[in-house]
């Protein structure tokens, strides 16, 4: 069983070490973590996804005993709450249309028990898009990437190639000028349809297999 753990603790050296030590003692394996400092309160916020802890009551007691912990909550993991993510990057108008299709389709599948969320980043400029595409490989729970724009190539194409080398994340692009459509898995002319197909490609409750249409232009 995988759980989510959210902790607010004192911003002091060694606090994270203490928390991971508790998890280690209870046989837990941390599969994902993120943390940041609430500067106005000088409090650290730590989120972890943990597998392998059989006694949640003992974890609860250990955290209560830790003097550095201000408050905590044990809950479902973000993977279970939000599920797979559709990432849409590109120009604002195209991103909005792709998102409209993706959100409508995700709603249809989520009603049937799926968990698919849609993230958008309206952004322009080759360098900005290059960094955004490369960063997708480091994001958690990404199911698919959609590139929405009218012209993408150069460093953006290189970023897509790097992404595909580092991960098995499929990439859809709109039909556009530039070299990006030559390196993605699927090219779709209609932004709404691109959003719909992106969700269908990662939904367990759909029968669309992007591998069977790889290299196609729709």
């Amino acid at each position: 069983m995988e759980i989510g753990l959210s902790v607010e603790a004192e911003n002091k050296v060694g606090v994270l070490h203490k928390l991971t030590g508790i998890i280690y003692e209870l046989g837990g394996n941390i599969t994902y973590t993120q943390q940041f400092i609430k500067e106005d309160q000088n409090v650290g916020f730590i989120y972890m996804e943990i597998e392998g802890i059989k006694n949640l009551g003992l974890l609860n007691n250990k955290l209560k005993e830790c003097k550095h912990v201000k408050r905590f909550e044990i809950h479902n993991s973000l993977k279970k709450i939000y599920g797979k993510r559709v990432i849409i990057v590109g120009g604002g108008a195209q991103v909005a249309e792709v998102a409209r299709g993706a959100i409508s389709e995700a709603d249809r599948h989520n009603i049937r028990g799926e968990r698919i969320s849609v993230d958008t980043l309206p952004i322009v400029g080759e360098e900005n898009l290059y960094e955004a595409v490369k960063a997708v490989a480091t994001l958690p729970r990404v199911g698919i990437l959609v590139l929405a724009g009218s012209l993408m190539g150069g460093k953006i194409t290189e970023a897509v190639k790097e992404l595909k080398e580092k991960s098995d994340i499929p990439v859809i692009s709109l039909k556009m000028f530039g070299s990006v459509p030559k390196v993605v898995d699927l090219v779709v002319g209609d932004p709404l349809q691109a959003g719909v197909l992106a969700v269908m490609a990662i939904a367990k409750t759909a029968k669309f297999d992007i591998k069977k249409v790889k290299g196609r232009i729709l």
Side-chain angles (χ1 to χ4, degrees), residues 49-145:
E49 293 185 355
I50 308 163
E51 62 182 10
I53 294 185
K54 297 179 180 178
N55 192 333
L56 295 183
L58 188 55
L59 173 63
N60 186 78
N61 292 338
K62 289 275 188 181
L63 291 171
K64 283 182 177 179
E65 292 170 1
C66 183
K67 64 180 182 179
H68 302 297
V69 173
K70 293 181 175 294
R71 61 181 64 86
F72 68 90
E73 182 182 359
I74 300 170
H75 48 77
N76 285 329
S77 67
L78 292 181
K79 186 185 299 182
K80 186 171 183 179
I81 297 170
Y82 287 100
K84 300 174 186 175
R85 302 165 71 185
V86 177
I87 307 292
I88 307 168
V89 177
Q94 293 97 329
V95 165
E97 287 301 294
V98 175
R100 194 153 65 97
I103 291 168
S104 296
E105 185 68 11
D107 182 60
R108 189 169 72 87
H109 291 282
N110 289 346
I111 287 172
R112 290 148 58 187
E114 287 274 4
R115 284 292 184 273
I116 296 173
S117 55
V118 180
D119 295 273
T120 62
L121 179 61
I123 190 172
V124 295
E126 183 179 5
E127 189 66 33
N128 290 333
L129 285 162
Y130 169 73
E131 294 293 341
V133 173
K134 280 186 61 179
V136 169
T138 67
L139 297 175
R141 310 188 327 275
V142 176
I144 194 165
L145 169 65

